[in-house]
Amino acid sequence: MKMKRYRILAVALIAMISFNSCDKFLTTELTDAKKTSESYYQTPSDAYTALVGCYNGLDVIWNSGVAFPVASEVFSDNCFGGTGASDGYGYQMMDEFNKTVSPSDVSLFSNTWKGYYQAIYRCNTLINNIDQVQWGDSTSLKNQYESEARFIRAFCYFDMARLWEKVPLLTTATVDNVPQADPDSTYTQIMKDLRFAANNLPATNYANVTSGRVSKWAAESLLARVYLFYSGYYGKTSIGNENASTALAAVEDVIANSGHGLVSDYTTLWPAASIAKGVTYAGEHNKEVVFSIKYSSTGDYNGNITGNTWMVMEGIREESHFPYQYGWGACTVDPKLYNNFSADDSRRFASIISIDDENIDFTKADKNREYSGYYLKKYSPVCDSTGTSIVTSFMIGQYQDYFAIRYSDVLLMAAELGSPNAVSYYNQVLERANSSATPATSVNEDMIMAQRRLEFVGEGIRYWDLMRQGVTQAASTIAANTTISILDNGGTPPSAAQLQANIEATRGFQQIPNDQITLSSGTLVQNAGW
């Protein structure tokens, strides 16, 4: 039978978005309802409209269900599941890698799964029909649009392969019941897409690329990130035609030719931190942002949500304290992480809300499960001085972009991949964060990993950095760095040894949504440990 899961609720020709002068995406609709995917693709303008539908897919992937950046922090040793004291225990189940904590949440990631395939469907539809367009002399434009769609497809599959490892690999717009692909096949396709994009997008200075659009530099950076994860987790030295040398060459190209760089003050990268410190926000199109997912406050509940809906999960539970707008209290920060920063590291204040150190009179700690006294700050919703949300609908109207790739990541990846400039790259990141730090004279992998943890708190990167050290090492590190006494799963919390065993049993991956297994008539097979 056909797998209904693949029937997309809003394909690329509906609920489109456009790039506007404010670098935001607004929802529009196709006016000619008679056109189909077979007849639609005629002009470059048609292809562009479909392309911005692909970009809108990046809004779709996390606007319901569990968002990848949030889940990634919960999986890691940075944060607990948190949420409300009276909520279900789904986030604790994720945190402890134990389905018995919340047996009813067997489809916790269902909307996330569907969101990714909706975005992939849009990309496949454009890629599969792009040759129908009458391009004339616009071959370079055709290659650009295809490159952007391929990047978005690769971005989605990389998330999915890390969450669930074996997923159906679709490169055509199909509704067939497709079995799971082995990870080698999925990663090979990801790399093919990224290499195509890297080779066909122009080498344009970042300042001349529209905010949120895929650039050559984004493709090269993601290629290196994928290589580091795949080679680390699977212990293989190549993926298709890519290896450590090609990955290093890619990020060295970004460093040498993109125009990207570090902003001088780390705090200015984040709106809530900038307001709290009294400095000017660097903006969404600052030189450090290599790729971002764009959000807009113009959406609504009628299927046109374009806002950052997952930020509300990380807000302080039920109570606003300027500039921090209240939210649902997920991802409470482990005190061990806060104490891992030196007092003069600017990233501590920029990344973490400290209830005590910021003299916040918080009265509802009992409403927050796994309350630690610390919350994530980078993607905290923001309120004004009266405690009123700065957006009309704080649940769907948050417009802060997600910085998916930053230049500091490019520098540290190049250092890890063995650049002859590794010490310089490492020190640029270190000294920007802490001007009083002693510069390194040599670097090793442990130093780079420690620096990466501090640099990317709250950005959904730490867990995957651990995973690529090997599941056993990742599980051991998470267990050692977790304050077990704060865990609250409604029953008996696990010991450190039990937590480590749970992660090892699942190999670090999440459960495939049970409703998708049912819809596939058993074609999909559940991951080990779930």
Side-chain angles (χ1 to χ4, degrees), residues 77-78 266 336-337 339-342 345 347-348 351 378 406 408 412 415-416 426 429-430 433 440 443-457 461-462 465-466 468-469 473 477 481:
D77 52 355
N78 285 349
Y266 185 88
K336 289 184 178 180
L337 171 60
N339 294 328
N340 199 32
F341 284 92
S342 65
D345 191 323
R347 295 172 297 193
R348 186 176 75 173
S351 304
K378 289 176 179 174
R406 291 195 291 112
S408 59
L412 292 176
E416 186 177 347
Y426 176 89
V429 176
L430 172 66
V443 294
N444 56 43
E445 186 175 5
D446 289 343
M447 292 170 63
I448 293 170
M449 285 299 138
Q451 198 62 222
R452 289 182 65 85
R453 187 185 189 193
L454 301 178
E455 180 71 17
F456 304 119
V457 168
I461 291 177
R462 168 64 174 177
D465 279 350
L466 290 174
R468 60 189 180 84
Q469 308 308 304
Q473 180 63 44
T477 300
N481 288 346

Side-chain angles (χ1 to χ4, degrees), residues 419-452:
S419 170
N421 299 312
V423 173
S424 171
Y425 296 161
Y426 176 89
N427 282 334
Q428 287 180 52
V429 176
L430 172 66
E431 294 178 58
R432 188 266 298 268
N434 182 0
S435 59
S436 65
T438 302
T441 56
S442 63
V443 294
N444 56 43
E445 186 175 5
D446 289 343
M447 292 170 63
I448 293 170
M449 285 299 138
Q451 198 62 222
R452 289 182 65 85

Side-chain angles (χ1 to χ4, degrees), residues 10 12 14-17 25 50-63 112 114-123 152 155-156 293-295 305:
I14 302 174
M16 292 299 182
I17 54 176
F25 301 157
L51 175 63
V52 293
C54 297
Y55 276 98
N56 180 241
L58 293 176
D59 289 339
V60 168
I61 56 177
W62 302 332
N63 74 15
T112 311
K114 288 183 283 189
Y116 280 118
Y117 275 111
Q118 183 173 339
I120 289 168
Y121 186 98
R122 295 181 182 190
C123 293
I152 294 169
F155 184 95
C156 291
I293 294 179
K294 305 294 293 182
Y295 292 105
I305 296 175

Side-chain angles (χ1 to χ4, degrees), residues 269-338:
L269 288 166
W270 318 106
S274 295
I275 297 170
K277 188 179 178 182
V279 295
T280 302
Y281 174 45
E284 298 164 341
H285 195 40
N286 68 72
K287 63 182 179 179
E288 191 157 339
V289 181
V290 179
F291 181 69
S292 61
I293 294 179
K294 305 294 293 182
Y295 292 105
S296 167
S297 63
T298 59
D300 56 47
Y301 283 104
N302 299 317
N304 301 315
I305 296 175
T306 56
N308 185 332
T309 61
W310 54 268
M311 281 179 61
V312 68
M313 293 302 303
E314 298 183 0
I316 296 176
R317 185 73 191 188
E318 295 191 20
E319 224 173 73
S320 294
H321 294 273
F322 177 73
Y324 313 122
Q325 162 70 28
Y326 79 86
W328 308 146
C331 299
T332 51
V333 175
D334 196 309
K336 289 184 178 180
L337 171 60
Y338 187 80

Side-chain angles (χ1 to χ4, degrees), residues 37 74 101 108 259 263 295 313 400 501 521:
S37 59
V74 173
V101 169
L108 185 65
V263 301
Y295 292 105
M313 293 302 303
Q400 183 179 339
S521 299

